[in-house]
Structures are given as C-alpha cells and as structure tokens.
Amino acid sequence: MGLRNASEDLSSEMEVDAFRRLFPLRYLERHLAESIRPDGRPLVKARETSIFLGAVASANGSALVKIGSTTMLTAIKMEVMTPSLESPDEGCLAIDFHMPPICSPIVRPGRPAEASPVVSKQLSDTISSSKMIDLKELSLVSGKAAWMAYLDIYCLDADGALFDAALLSAVAALSHLQIPAVAVNDDGKIVLVSDEDGQKQAQEPVNKEKRKLTLRSIPFSLTCILHKNYILADPTAEEESIMETHVTIVLDTSGQLISLYKPGGSVLAYTSAVQDCVALTRQRVKELKSFLDKENSAMEIE
Amino acid sequence: MAGKSGATPATYSPSLTTSDKKKKPPLFNEDWVRPDGRAFQQCRPAFFRTGAVNAASGSAYAEFGNTKVIVSVFGPRESKKAMMYSDIGRLNCNVSFTTFATPVRGQGSDHKEYSAMLHKALEGAIILETFPKTTVDVFALVLESSGSELPVIISCASLALADAGIMMYDLVASVSVSCFSKNLVIDPISEEENNQDGSLMITCMPSRYEITQLTVTGEWSTPKINEGMQLCLDACGKLAKIMRSCLKEAASDSQE
C-alpha cells in the first residue's frame, strides 16, 4: 500500500498512517460515513474468495480456501476404529481447528490461541447440527469397524472471519473426500485394496470401490460486524480488533437457519439488524455454493 | 479396550494388502533407479515464493517435490519479559508439523530438534547487532513432508528473513545427501532417508563460501565425506541463485 504512493508526498502519507494507529475507531468511522471501508470495499461486500480442492496429496480429501488474506488448509485422513456400543453402525467425524504460530503475530509457540478451541467447537456443532453427513455412511462392519474421519483445519494466515473461512474449507474438503476401497483380511483387520490385485484375493471386500460421501445440505456462513449505524460483512482482522460486536449466521443451501452466534459485545442486535444480517448471509450462501459447485465440477472433468 | 476409550477411540490407518508389502525395499545397488526417477545427483525441482502470509513481517513458501513448508517471520519485536537485557538481538525459532504432514496421521506437535537446528543454522548469518534488545521470531510449519525437511525449512527461513528485511550477511541455503554404500544421492526423499547408511547436511552462505552448519551421521569414509561436501556446496550455490531470483521477482513486482 505504501509503495504504491511512494512517488507522492510522503508527509501526508505518514499522517494518515499515524491517524490510523492512534484513532482506529475514528479512522474507520470516517470511512464508513463515506460508505466505504479501508480496503476499498462497500460495507456489505465480502472479500474475494477462492477454493482449491486436493491441495494435500497424501490426504483422502483436502481443500485450500482463501477469503481475502485469510487462508485455511484442510485435510481429511480416514482411519479405522471400533464403533462404540451405543452406535455400532456409525462412524465418527473429529474436527480440529489449529492456529499454528505462523498465522498471526498474536499466537506464540506453546501457548495455543484462545480462538482455536472456540472455533473448533463451533465448527463441530455446526456440522453435526446441519446433518450434512450421515455417520451411518462411515460404517464398515456393524459393531466391528467404522471410519474415523480426522478433519484438521490449519489457519495459515489470519486476517479476520476465521470461522467463515474454516467452515468453507471444511465443507469443501468433505465434498472432495474420497473414501478408499477396503477389505477385511484374515485377522479381521481392514486393509486397503489396490485396483490391480483387488480381484484375485480371497478377501471379503467391505467397500468395493472409492466413493464419495453424500452431502445432504451444505452449511455456509457469514460473519458481520455490528456498529451503531452500520453493518459490515466479512470483517478483516483490523476491523475485528476495533469493533468487537459480531454476529455469525450459518445457513444451509436450502436457506434454513442452522446457527446464529452473537457472543455479547457492546452493540445490541435489534431484530432489524439481525434480519439484515440473515439477508446478507442468504446472498453469500448462494455465492459460496456456486464457487464450490464450480470447483467440484472442474475436478470431475479431470 | 474399545469401550474404555469412548471419547478418542484407538484408530489405525488401513495399510496396503499384505501381498504388496512383500515387495522388498529396493536394493541400493549399481543399477538401482531412484523411486522418483531422478539421477543420483539431481535435486527435486525447487519452488519458492515470498509473501505467503500477510499477517507476518515476512514470509516464504517452499516446495521441493512433495515437501511443502511455510515460514513466517515476526519482529523485531519486544523480547519476553523474563529475558535479560541484551546488547544484541535475539533469534527465536520454532518448527512444527501439521497432523497430515506424514503418510500416517501424526500429533502435529512441535519438533524440538528441528527448532534447535534451525536456530543454529541461521544464527551465524543474521546481523543480530542491528536489532538490539528485541527478538526476531522465525516460525516454520511443515504442511507436507516427503523427505529432506530440515534443509528445506532452513532455506525457506532465510528467504522469509530477507522478505522481512532482517539484515543478514548472505542468504542461507541448505542441501543434504544420503549415502548408500558406494553411491551418494542428493536431496533424498523419505523412502531413501529411511534406508540410508549415512547422511550429510550442509548449510552455507554461498556468496561468502562460509558454512553455518554441517551435520554428518552414519557410516562415511573420508573421501566420501569430501565428495558429499562438494556436491552439497555446488547444489547450495545453485539453490541460492533460485532464491535470489525469487526475491528479485518479488521486489520488481512490488515496484510496478
């Protein structure tokens, strides 16, 4: 940013920067009064979003998602477990959200970021309550073996709206997931079947060919910041640090509300503000769904 | 046993069928071909990019075959409160792996040994006097690992330091070789590293022809060590050229 204006008068540039650091709220409000945000976006516009499927070669499903600078890398690894007695024909999905020290100046090694367990929990709640995947599809041998899907999300660059990016990368990785073909061997263990020698062995195939999970309704989310007079969609880290009241709304592809999360904050959310946020999320969900569909159909052509 | 571990049931990743496993590890003899088809003295194609993480003061992404690493540099910033006063700057390094970095899912914890090695490899190249009383943090995350992680981390870290504008005497490049009885194999992948007789890693500042770190493990004869060192130094020189061109590219891009 600084480099672009290098030829212009440096002193005025310095003043703006100083003003930005000394009076962050006033700096932002001056922008908002002009209906524009410091990064040049209109108030309700989300940042540029990109999805890249299959980013991790060694995983069964993976996705790299960028919303503005916020970057998330998700990989799913499938392992075999013995299902619990209560649900003998159900597999399991374990979601973990990691914030390694590379992603932000506030995370230090050995001291996990406060946000990471919060986002982890929010993600597992959202995905399980959206009924997006049927855990019965992860069953292999009733009562004996089932899939344990480890879904690990790594935040590579933290610049606001972490939950939105993490959820998008999680559902993208789930849509990319391919369950490997496996069989039961003589010891009762599950082994992989490779395409060439699958036929000639006397093993009992449990999952004959690679398959994808059926995703019923996909949840997508949008985080908005509430200010006295304005609503800002998809905040950056700077905006989040200045105004602390945010609302995260999760809708599924059929437009059904899955979760609404407003963890306190100094601004009260009136019905009208919440309705506005839901309307914004509805638009955003359409946009995100088309991004994901486009990526998935591109994968199928290959 | 399964009933006891309700929250985190014991899991295993399904291995290939037993018939596949019986294929013996390749014998590393004269007419042996490397698993990825490279010549013995050929490195994997290297890719570098700076500015991978916007939240950091400087960062770099490196990709050697399937080994993928991101390094972020933060600071110079305030040292920890418990630190004593220091005339010169401090360097703090940390290396961690993702849970999906290895073929079998791991814990994704910090790698203490690599953190210490990274610190030692960079220490000599950074002009610590330029940031007294403060600390520069160098954090690395291995996204995927398929051999020779440490040399890749070190080279990537020096690029990230340059991107952050931390003063250094020279870029630091690092390359390792594996020894198989008579043969030397450069930039080994995991499969080769697991079967090697010995390994040698050099970290150097190529334009000054100075070595910041040298590790030799396993069985080596003196002439082999000399040969291996020469091989690594040549490769480091070439690697530094690639790194330099990456920095130049980034600088000319930002000027436009």
mmCIF file of all heavy atoms in Angstrom, chain A residues 260-285:
data_model
loop_
_atom_site.group_PDB
_atom_site.id
_atom_site.type_symbol
_atom_site.label_atom_id
_atom_site.label_comp_id
_atom_site.label_asym_id
_atom_site.label_seq_id
_atom_site.Cartn_x
_atom_site.Cartn_y
_atom_site.Cartn_z
ATOM 1 N N LEU A 260 -27.002 -19.212 14.839
ATOM 2 C CA LEU A 260 -26.848 -17.775 14.920
ATOM 3 C C LEU A 260 -26.029 -17.537 16.173
ATOM 4 O O LEU A 260 -26.384 -17.985 17.253
ATOM 5 C CB LEU A 260 -28.227 -17.113 15.027
ATOM 6 C CG LEU A 260 -28.283 -15.607 14.828
ATOM 7 C CD1 LEU A 260 -29.625 -15.201 14.302
ATOM 8 C CD2 LEU A 260 -27.952 -14.845 16.095
ATOM 9 N N TYR A 261 -24.927 -16.871 16.023
ATOM 10 C CA TYR A 261 -23.982 -16.762 17.124
ATOM 11 C C TYR A 261 -23.644 -15.296 17.338
ATOM 12 O O TYR A 261 -23.067 -14.652 16.462
ATOM 13 C CB TYR A 261 -22.747 -17.580 16.748
ATOM 14 C CG TYR A 261 -21.735 -17.750 17.836
ATOM 15 C CD1 TYR A 261 -22.042 -18.442 19.000
ATOM 16 C CD2 TYR A 261 -20.442 -17.250 17.679
ATOM 17 C CE1 TYR A 261 -21.093 -18.609 19.989
ATOM 18 C CE2 TYR A 261 -19.493 -17.422 18.669
ATOM 19 C CZ TYR A 261 -19.818 -18.101 19.817
ATOM 20 O OH TYR A 261 -18.880 -18.277 20.800
ATOM 21 N N LYS A 262 -24.058 -14.768 18.478
ATOM 22 C CA LYS A 262 -23.672 -13.395 18.808
ATOM 23 C C LYS A 262 -23.107 -13.385 20.212
ATOM 24 O O LYS A 262 -23.846 -13.345 21.184
ATOM 25 C CB LYS A 262 -24.866 -12.444 18.720
ATOM 26 C CG LYS A 262 -24.458 -11.000 19.029
ATOM 27 C CD LYS A 262 -25.643 -10.095 19.211
ATOM 28 C CE LYS A 262 -25.208 -8.667 19.537
ATOM 29 N NZ LYS A 262 -24.697 -8.523 20.909
ATOM 30 N N PRO A 263 -21.799 -13.520 20.309
ATOM 31 C CA PRO A 263 -21.195 -13.632 21.638
ATOM 32 C C PRO A 263 -21.025 -12.276 22.298
ATOM 33 O O PRO A 263 -19.932 -11.724 22.344
ATOM 34 C CB PRO A 263 -19.852 -14.287 21.344
ATOM 35 C CG PRO A 263 -19.533 -13.875 19.945
ATOM 36 C CD PRO A 263 -20.799 -13.535 19.246
ATOM 37 N N GLY A 264 -22.095 -11.742 22.846
ATOM 38 C CA GLY A 264 -22.009 -10.491 23.599
ATOM 39 C C GLY A 264 -21.597 -9.318 22.731
ATOM 40 O O GLY A 264 -21.968 -9.228 21.564
ATOM 41 N N GLY A 265 -20.827 -8.413 23.315
ATOM 42 C CA GLY A 265 -20.395 -7.232 22.579
ATOM 43 C C GLY A 265 -21.175 -6.016 23.045
ATOM 44 O O GLY A 265 -22.233 -6.136 23.644
ATOM 45 N N SER A 266 -20.635 -4.836 22.738
ATOM 46 C CA SER A 266 -21.218 -3.614 23.295
ATOM 47 C C SER A 266 -22.439 -3.157 22.523
ATOM 48 O O SER A 266 -23.252 -2.408 23.015
ATOM 49 C CB SER A 266 -20.161 -2.507 23.301
ATOM 50 O OG SER A 266 -19.637 -2.367 22.000
ATOM 51 N N VAL A 267 -22.586 -3.595 21.265
ATOM 52 C CA VAL A 267 -23.735 -3.169 20.468
ATOM 53 C C VAL A 267 -24.823 -4.233 20.561
ATOM 54 O O VAL A 267 -24.565 -5.410 20.434
ATOM 55 C CB VAL A 267 -23.319 -2.970 18.992
ATOM 56 C CG1 VAL A 267 -24.513 -2.535 18.162
ATOM 57 C CG2 VAL A 267 -22.209 -1.942 18.894
ATOM 58 N N LEU A 268 -26.055 -3.773 20.814
ATOM 59 C CA LEU A 268 -27.166 -4.723 20.899
ATOM 60 C C LEU A 268 -27.709 -4.968 19.502
ATOM 61 O O LEU A 268 -27.785 -4.073 18.683
ATOM 62 C CB LEU A 268 -28.263 -4.153 21.795
ATOM 63 C CG LEU A 268 -27.801 -3.845 23.215
ATOM 64 C CD1 LEU A 268 -28.888 -3.105 23.974
ATOM 65 C CD2 LEU A 268 -27.411 -5.117 23.938
ATOM 66 N N ALA A 269 -28.064 -6.227 19.268
ATOM 67 C CA ALA A 269 -28.579 -6.561 17.947
ATOM 68 C C ALA A 269 -30.092 -6.438 17.964
ATOM 69 O O ALA A 269 -30.769 -7.211 18.626
ATOM 70 C CB ALA A 269 -28.161 -7.969 17.575
ATOM 71 N N TYR A 270 -30.620 -5.453 17.248
ATOM 72 C CA TYR A 270 -32.073 -5.338 17.132
ATOM 73 C C TYR A 270 -32.565 -6.301 16.061
ATOM 74 O O TYR A 270 -31.788 -6.752 15.222
ATOM 75 C CB TYR A 270 -32.465 -3.903 16.784
ATOM 76 C CG TYR A 270 -32.151 -2.953 17.902
ATOM 77 C CD1 TYR A 270 -31.040 -2.127 17.840
ATOM 78 C CD2 TYR A 270 -32.951 -2.919 19.050
ATOM 79 C CE1 TYR A 270 -30.727 -1.278 18.896
ATOM 80 C CE2 TYR A 270 -32.647 -2.076 20.094
ATOM 81 C CZ TYR A 270 -31.536 -1.249 20.022
ATOM 82 O OH TYR A 270 -31.238 -0.421 21.045
ATOM 83 N N THR A 271 -33.852 -6.599 16.124
ATOM 84 C CA THR A 271 -34.417 -7.545 15.169
ATOM 85 C C THR A 271 -34.072 -7.163 13.737
ATOM 86 O O THR A 271 -33.715 -8.003 12.924
ATOM 87 C CB THR A 271 -35.952 -7.588 15.307
ATOM 88 O OG1 THR A 271 -36.271 -7.324 16.657
ATOM 89 C CG2 THR A 271 -36.491 -8.918 14.889
ATOM 90 N N SER A 272 -34.176 -5.850 13.468
ATOM 91 C CA SER A 272 -33.934 -5.425 12.088
ATOM 92 C C SER A 272 -32.491 -5.712 11.678
ATOM 93 O O SER A 272 -32.224 -6.161 10.561
ATOM 94 C CB SER A 272 -34.247 -3.942 11.945
ATOM 95 O OG SER A 272 -33.347 -3.204 12.739
ATOM 96 N N ALA A 273 -31.549 -5.487 12.601
ATOM 97 C CA ALA A 273 -30.144 -5.730 12.283
ATOM 98 C C ALA A 273 -29.922 -7.210 12.006
ATOM 99 O O ALA A 273 -29.206 -7.581 11.069
ATOM 100 C CB ALA A 273 -29.260 -5.266 13.429
ATOM 101 N N VAL A 274 -30.540 -8.063 12.841
ATOM 102 C CA VAL A 274 -30.374 -9.495 12.647
ATOM 103 C C VAL A 274 -30.972 -9.916 11.307
ATOM 104 O O VAL A 274 -30.387 -10.687 10.555
ATOM 105 C CB VAL A 274 -31.018 -10.283 13.805
ATOM 106 C CG1 VAL A 274 -31.024 -11.772 13.504
ATOM 107 C CG2 VAL A 274 -30.266 -10.021 15.096
ATOM 108 N N GLN A 275 -32.141 -9.349 10.990
ATOM 109 C CA GLN A 275 -32.769 -9.675 9.705
ATOM 110 C C GLN A 275 -31.879 -9.257 8.531
ATOM 111 O O GLN A 275 -31.742 -9.987 7.555
ATOM 112 C CB GLN A 275 -34.139 -9.005 9.603
ATOM 113 C CG GLN A 275 -35.216 -9.859 10.239
ATOM 114 C CD GLN A 275 -36.518 -9.102 10.409
ATOM 115 O OE1 GLN A 275 -36.583 -7.897 10.176
ATOM 116 N NE2 GLN A 275 -37.549 -9.811 10.812
ATOM 117 N N ASP A 276 -31.269 -8.069 8.679
ATOM 118 C CA ASP A 276 -30.363 -7.621 7.619
ATOM 119 C C ASP A 276 -29.205 -8.590 7.458
ATOM 120 O O ASP A 276 -28.798 -8.919 6.342
ATOM 121 C CB ASP A 276 -29.823 -6.221 7.942
ATOM 122 C CG ASP A 276 -30.884 -5.150 7.759
ATOM 123 O OD1 ASP A 276 -31.937 -5.481 7.178
ATOM 124 O OD2 ASP A 276 -30.660 -4.013 8.204
ATOM 125 N N CYS A 277 -28.655 -9.059 8.593
ATOM 126 C CA CYS A 277 -27.531 -9.988 8.546
ATOM 127 C C CYS A 277 -27.941 -11.294 7.861
ATOM 128 O O CYS A 277 -27.200 -11.842 7.056
ATOM 129 C CB CYS A 277 -27.018 -10.301 9.948
ATOM 130 S SG CYS A 277 -26.178 -8.917 10.699
ATOM 131 N N VAL A 278 -29.145 -11.770 8.191
ATOM 132 C CA VAL A 278 -29.612 -13.019 7.577
ATOM 133 C C VAL A 278 -29.747 -12.830 6.065
ATOM 134 O O VAL A 278 -29.342 -13.693 5.283
ATOM 135 C CB VAL A 278 -30.950 -13.473 8.199
ATOM 136 C CG1 VAL A 278 -31.531 -14.646 7.431
ATOM 137 C CG2 VAL A 278 -30.746 -13.850 9.655
ATOM 138 N N ALA A 279 -30.270 -11.677 5.667
ATOM 139 C CA ALA A 279 -30.419 -11.420 4.230
ATOM 140 C C ALA A 279 -29.061 -11.419 3.540
ATOM 141 O O ALA A 279 -28.898 -11.972 2.453
ATOM 142 C CB ALA A 279 -31.133 -10.096 4.019
ATOM 143 N N LEU A 280 -28.085 -10.795 4.199
ATOM 144 C CA LEU A 280 -26.731 -10.769 3.626
ATOM 145 C C LEU A 280 -26.165 -12.176 3.508
ATOM 146 O O LEU A 280 -25.526 -12.526 2.520
ATOM 147 C CB LEU A 280 -25.805 -9.916 4.500
ATOM 148 C CG LEU A 280 -25.996 -8.415 4.448
ATOM 149 C CD1 LEU A 280 -25.121 -7.740 5.483
ATOM 150 C CD2 LEU A 280 -25.646 -7.896 3.061
ATOM 151 N N THR A 281 -26.405 -12.978 4.578
ATOM 152 C CA THR A 281 -25.880 -14.344 4.572
ATOM 153 C C THR A 281 -26.504 -15.147 3.439
ATOM 154 O O THR A 281 -25.836 -15.921 2.768
ATOM 155 C CB THR A 281 -26.157 -15.026 5.925
ATOM 156 O OG1 THR A 281 -25.764 -14.143 6.959
ATOM 157 C CG2 THR A 281 -25.398 -16.324 6.043
ATOM 158 N N ARG A 282 -27.822 -14.919 3.231
ATOM 159 C CA ARG A 282 -28.523 -15.646 2.176
ATOM 160 C C ARG A 282 -27.847 -15.418 0.815
ATOM 161 O O ARG A 282 -27.612 -16.348 0.062
ATOM 162 C CB ARG A 282 -29.976 -15.165 2.132
ATOM 163 C CG ARG A 282 -30.938 -16.142 1.527
ATOM 164 C CD ARG A 282 -32.330 -15.762 1.933
ATOM 165 N NE ARG A 282 -32.470 -15.862 3.390
ATOM 166 C CZ ARG A 282 -33.410 -16.565 4.001
ATOM 167 N NH1 ARG A 282 -34.281 -17.209 3.302
ATOM 168 N NH2 ARG A 282 -33.472 -16.619 5.313
ATOM 169 N N GLN A 283 -27.510 -14.160 0.558
ATOM 170 C CA GLN A 283 -26.814 -13.849 -0.700
ATOM 171 C C GLN A 283 -25.465 -14.543 -0.763
ATOM 172 O O GLN A 283 -25.096 -15.122 -1.775
ATOM 173 C CB GLN A 283 -26.542 -12.346 -0.779
ATOM 174 C CG GLN A 283 -27.692 -11.528 -1.312
ATOM 175 C CD GLN A 283 -27.341 -10.044 -1.229
ATOM 176 O OE1 GLN A 283 -26.172 -9.665 -1.231
ATOM 177 N NE2 GLN A 283 -28.360 -9.224 -1.139
ATOM 178 N N ARG A 284 -24.753 -14.465 0.346
ATOM 179 C CA ARG A 284 -23.404 -15.010 0.403
ATOM 180 C C ARG A 284 -23.414 -16.530 0.208
ATOM 181 O O ARG A 284 -22.543 -17.083 -0.446
ATOM 182 C CB ARG A 284 -22.781 -14.636 1.757
ATOM 183 C CG ARG A 284 -21.395 -15.169 2.022
ATOM 184 C CD ARG A 284 -20.346 -14.476 1.192
ATOM 185 N NE ARG A 284 -19.016 -14.899 1.608
ATOM 186 C CZ ARG A 284 -17.944 -14.818 0.828
ATOM 187 N NH1 ARG A 284 -18.050 -14.327 -0.386
ATOM 188 N NH2 ARG A 284 -16.766 -15.207 1.270
ATOM 189 N N VAL A 285 -24.417 -17.199 0.774
ATOM 190 C CA VAL A 285 -24.509 -18.653 0.650
ATOM 191 C C VAL A 285 -24.628 -19.049 -0.817
ATOM 192 O O VAL A 285 -23.967 -19.967 -1.283
ATOM 193 C CB VAL A 285 -25.706 -19.195 1.462
ATOM 194 C CG1 VAL A 285 -26.005 -20.637 1.101
ATOM 195 C CG2 VAL A 285 -25.430 -19.086 2.954
#
